[in-house]
Amino acid sequence: MARAASSARAWIGTVVFLLLAPGVVAGLIPWLISGWRWHDWGGAVWVVVPVAWIAIAIGVAFLLHAFVLFALHRGTPAPIAPTETLVVTGVYRFVRNPMYLAVIAIILGQALLFGSWWLVLYAVIALAAVVAFVKGYEEPTLTSTYGKQYLDYRRNVPGWWPRLTPWRA
């Protein structure tokens, strides 16, 4: 019974955090910046628009996959309700920060779709904020929480540029 309750809390918390964090960062704020007004790409539309949608779709797919992994590990991506174990499965076998990279891909896809240099600037600012958060809070916290397991993972899986082959612990 306790395991089922823990799993239900993990799924609810994960969905709520998905809506509050990436939903705001990759959805609401880009909408406020761009109004989601399509840019007229003229003759280049047949190249630019599919590339933009591919970036958005890949970002959304990786983001949802990463969030599901957290719920399956009976926790959330939110620092206040972490997983019971270090998540090193799925996309996390290729890169340590897939959620952040997915959010940046979604923002840049929208920048291209809407022809917005303001969204490009926002993506750069968001990336700088995320890197500062990872270096200043997340990595030290994961090191103190998971110790050698996280340090081994960190040594073998890059933070920002995915590996070509999955890491096996």
Side-chain angles (χ1 to χ4, degrees):
M1 186 75 159
R3 188 172 175 92
S6 172
S7 181
R9 276 193 306 276
W11 281 101
I12 292 167
T14 295
V15 170
V16 169
F17 189 72
L18 175 66
L19 296 173
L20 291 178
V24 169
V25 173
L28 179 62
I29 294 174
W31 173 73
L32 291 171
I33 291 171
S34 70
W36 285 347
R37 287 178 296 280
W38 293 74
H39 183 70
D40 180 9
W41 287 104
V45 70
W46 67 275
V47 173
V48 174
V49 170
V51 168
W53 278 114
I54 288 168
I56 293 167
I58 288 172
V60 168
F62 275 85
L63 184 66
L64 293 176
H65 172 72
F67 267 76
V68 165
L69 290 174
F70 271 77
L72 290 174
H73 284 81
R74 290 189 308 281
T76 75
I80 61 168
T83 57
E84 295 174 4
T85 60
L86 183 64
V87 178
V88 294
T89 60
V91 70
Y92 286 93
R93 294 170 55 202
F94 294 90
V95 66
R96 289 194 322 267
N97 299 302
M99 284 190 233
Y100 301 133
L101 293 173
V103 166
I104 298 301
I106 294 166
I107 295 168
L108 290 174
Q110 290 176 86
L112 192 56
L113 190 63
F114 306 129
S116 172
W117 285 106
W118 289 111
L119 281 178
V120 173
L121 176 62
Y122 170 61
V124 169
I125 293 168
L127 181 60
V130 161
V131 170
F133 175 75
V134 166
K135 295 296 182 190
Y137 173 79
E138 196 169 84
E139 288 179 351
T141 301
L142 290 171
T143 300
S144 68
T145 303
Y146 300 107
K148 182 183 176 322
Q149 183 187 13
Y150 177 69
L151 292 173
D152 187 40
Y153 173 66
R154 188 172 164 191
R155 258 191 313 278
N156 289 286
V157 179
W160 304 103
W161 195 257
R163 294 168 49 107
L164 295 177
T165 59
W167 176 64
R168 299 185 198 305

